[in-house]
Amino acid sequence: MNSFQLSSVDYMNVSDEALSHGNTRLFNWLAYFGVVPFVIGIAMVLAGFSVAGVDGRLWFTAYSSVILSFLCGVWWGGALNRADHVHRLPLMILSNVIALVGWVALLLYQSPLALPMLAAAYLFVERAEARLKPNVSFLSGYFSTRSRVTYLVIACHLVMIAILWR
């Protein structure tokens, strides 16, 4: 058995915290790496560069919409897997509403409303998660990273807004 596999017996002897530590490092790396396409979109707009007819504005807005939908999918999956959760129905409804906001923003990507809509949706998701996060110590690193990365993403949106409407 290689080092990445755990048998059921091994798993029973490993704490949630120990398993979470390795996952948190991977999550942190992926979360921060996920900001790079936003920066690429900003650079494309500044350079007036496009790839296969996709300009930086569309690149940025499309990526933002996809990531926002991904975050909503996390809510959806969590709600489906926790039938006993007190916020199950609101999470399911909000996940769909926020994903639709991302889709509308993508459709309106040339409008001055698109990027502020997306930034507001990210802020809403972050604030909602801050209120809903479980009080589990080994998840604190996960939620800290999620908050920091969300604020970096919002900052990227503000930079893009400033560039486009200067």
Side-chain angles (χ1 to χ4, degrees):
M1 173 169 36
N2 70 38
S3 63
F4 294 104
Q5 295 175 328
L6 290 175
S7 71
S8 59
V9 174
D10 292 334
Y11 178 76
M12 297 304 236
N13 294 323
V14 177
S15 71
D16 286 340
E17 187 169 354
L19 284 173
S20 178
H21 182 66
N23 290 338
T24 299
R25 278 187 296 193
L26 175 62
F27 169 78
N28 287 346
W29 186 84
L30 291 172
Y32 284 108
F33 189 69
V35 177
V36 172
F38 289 107
V39 175
I40 291 171
I42 291 168
M44 287 173 69
V45 167
L46 288 171
F49 184 74
S50 64
V51 176
V54 176
D55 64 3
R57 186 176 191 169
L58 178 56
W59 172 289
F60 187 98
T61 307
Y63 182 72
S64 181
S65 297
V66 166
I67 295 302
L68 184 62
S69 293
F70 170 79
L71 294 176
C72 292
V74 172
W75 283 7
W76 179 264
L80 287 177
N81 290 312
R82 292 286 315 272
D84 61 331
H85 196 284
V86 275
H87 300 294
R88 182 175 190 232
L89 183 59
L91 283 173
M92 291 180 84
I93 293 169
L94 284 173
S95 70
N96 282 273
V97 169
I98 299 297
L100 288 172
V101 166
W103 176 64
V104 169
L106 179 55
L107 292 176
L108 300 174
Y109 85 95
Q110 291 182 330
S111 165
L113 298 175
L115 295 175
M117 284 172 56
L118 288 165
Y122 278 100
L123 183 60
F124 178 84
V125 168
E126 194 281 329
R127 293 289 71 213
E129 285 185 351
R131 294 184 66 212
L132 294 172
K133 68 182 175 186
N135 191 16
V136 181
S137 63
F138 69 84
L139 289 177
S140 65
Y142 166 83
F143 285 108
S144 294
T145 299
R146 277 286 295 267
S147 291
R148 283 191 302 273
V149 170
T150 297
Y151 289 120
L152 277 172
V153 166
I154 292 169
C156 287
H157 282 74
L158 296 175
V159 167
M160 184 65 96
I161 290 166
I163 291 168
L164 292 173
W165 288 280
R166 58 183 150 119

